[in-house]
Amino acid sequence: MGTPTRISDVIVPELFSKYVINRTTEKSALWQSGIISKLPEAALFSQNGGAMITMPFWEDLNGDSEVLSDSKPLNVNKITAASDVAILHARGKAWGANDLATALSGDDPLGAVSELAATYWAREMQRITLATLEGVFAADTMAANLHDISAGVGSAAAISGSSFIDAAYKLGDEVDNLTAVAMHSATSAFLAKQGLIETIRDADGVVLYHTYMNRRIIVDDTMPRNGDVYTSYLFGAGALGYAEVSPPVPVETDRDSLQGDDILIHRRHFVLHPRGVKWAGAAGLAPDNTGLKTKTNWQRVYDPKQIRIVAFKHKLTTA
């Protein structure tokens, strides 16, 4: 009888980690929609260490211009600097061989295990994003980017073309920067029954994605739902900044000989940050999802119209 396949036989840590990260971004609807973009500042983590990154920016210039005079000099105005602050997420997951038994029985066990891990991390990234947004939009400073009609009566509380436009115009003249909308499948179904969703296909007729009011739809059943009140998020391109920061030991394999279990351990350090809303919580590594949902941990630092996210709270009704 031959020696059974071990996880250490099929997992090459250097290859596994890079492959999973790449496949995670390929699988995630958030990345595919373009609302998450590279955050180059995160490279500072590897240079300077620490768990927080400060991203300075210049405040916009304001005030009226002055009439030129040959006797009165112009007033000199200061350029004010401010900063956004992102925090480092440090997450990990360990799987035992029994959980991966089906994958290990395939023709390509490394590829199968990598695909399972990539799918897991794609879901996890979306959960982290939604936990972050829940905390962000609970913050008092984000009221200008929140459109809540859920207290209305009957159709006044429902998502519709008109109420969606009102939500989008929370960004005023920056409205065209909103390119995608994330919603619960129940919301998507409600709009589809009204014939309000368009299907985008390639030249061969293959479905690429769906749109609503010219915004690409991301359907996710982990989207916030409180009773009959749903939260949909409108996004602009690059609304969230992302970067991977390699941990000291990203991938390890182990074996519990007494239990007869092979173990795969995967660790990830990354930044996933809503641009323009700084982390105002404690310094150090980012908390769990409950901590991300805490409103006092977030504070708006950009002008509301420069934050390319709008939260839209609504119901589903035609009454």
Side-chain angles (χ1 to χ4, degrees):
M1 183 175 180
T3 303
T5 300
R6 305 297 185 198
I7 288 182
S8 57
D9 296 330
V10 298
I11 294 297
V12 180
E14 295 80 4
L15 299 178
F16 178 86
S17 185
K18 292 180 180 178
Y19 181 82
V20 170
I21 290 171
N22 289 337
R23 288 295 289 154
T24 297
T25 59
E26 291 174 7
K27 285 175 171 288
S28 173
L30 296 176
W31 270 269
Q32 293 304 306
S33 66
I35 66 174
I36 295 180
S37 61
K38 189 72 173 175
L39 188 66
E41 293 93 340
L44 295 177
F45 280 120
S46 59
Q47 297 172 10
N48 301 325
M52 300 179 70
I53 177 171
T54 300
M55 297 170 286
F57 62 92
W58 295 110
E59 298 276 16
D60 199 5
L61 304 180
N62 54 36
D64 295 333
S65 61
E66 300 174 46
V67 176
L68 295 176
S69 168
D70 60 1
S71 60
K72 181 182 178 181
L74 293 173
N75 292 310
V76 178
N77 299 274
K78 292 182 178 180
I79 300 176
T80 306
S83 61
D84 193 0
V85 178
I87 195 164
L88 181 68
H89 292 276
R91 301 287 181 110
K93 193 71 174 178
W95 294 278
N98 289 338
D99 295 334
L100 302 175
T102 302
L104 290 173
S105 66
D107 294 333
D108 180 12
L110 172 59
V113 175
S114 299
E115 284 297 303
L116 290 174
T119 300
Y120 166 81
W121 282 114
R123 293 194 304 265
E124 186 66 4
M125 290 291 201
Q126 295 194 178
R127 282 190 287 265
I128 291 170
T129 298
L130 291 176
T132 296
L133 293 177
E134 183 174 336
V136 163
F137 281 96
D140 297 336
T141 55
M142 286 297 292
N145 291 68
L146 171 64
H147 186 57
D148 186 356
I149 62 171
S150 61
V153 178
S155 59
I159 185 173
S160 64
S162 177
S163 61
F164 186 87
I165 290 172
D166 289 339
Y169 269 90
K170 296 294 284 187
L171 293 194
D173 55 10
E174 299 291 331
V175 62
D176 290 338
N177 287 333
L178 295 173
T179 57
V181 55
M183 60 180 65
H184 194 281
S185 64
T187 301
S188 181
F190 176 78
L191 297 173
K193 290 175 183 177
Q194 299 179 48
L196 299 176
I197 290 180
E198 296 185 13
T199 301
I200 307 301
R201 302 176 184 271
D202 65 14
D204 297 322
V206 177
V207 175
L208 298 176
Y209 54 88
H210 300 283
T211 66
Y212 177 63
M213 303 290 285
N214 295 320
R215 272 84 177 186
R216 180 170 177 164
I217 295 174
I218 303 164
V219 178
D220 188 338
D221 280 344
T222 62
M223 289 292 293
R225 177 183 180 183
N226 185 7
D228 59 351
V229 176
Y230 294 80
T231 300
S232 299
Y233 291 110
L234 288 72
F235 294 99
L240 300 168
Y242 158 80
E244 291 281 336
V245 182
S246 182
V249 185
V251 180
E252 284 187 282
T253 58
D254 198 4
R255 176 163 176 77
D256 185 338
S257 299
L258 295 177
Q259 296 291 334
D261 290 335
D262 282 320
I263 301 169
L264 170 64
I265 304 162
H266 192 198
R267 303 179 184 89
R268 292 181 72 173
H269 290 181
F270 57 90
V271 180
L272 190 56
H273 181 70
R275 295 177 185 270
V277 188
K278 78 173 185 180
W279 175 258
L285 298 176
D288 59 15
N289 289 355
T290 299
L292 294 175
K293 295 177 182 179
T294 302
K295 69 177 188 178
T296 54
N297 284 336
W298 300 98
Q299 180 182 346
R300 178 180 61 80
V301 291
Y302 282 12
D303 181 275
K305 292 195 296 184
Q306 299 304 315
I307 296 174
R308 288 164 279 181
I309 314 174
V310 173
F312 180 19
K313 292 189 175 183
H314 56 81
K315 295 182 180 178
L316 308 178
T317 178
T318 55

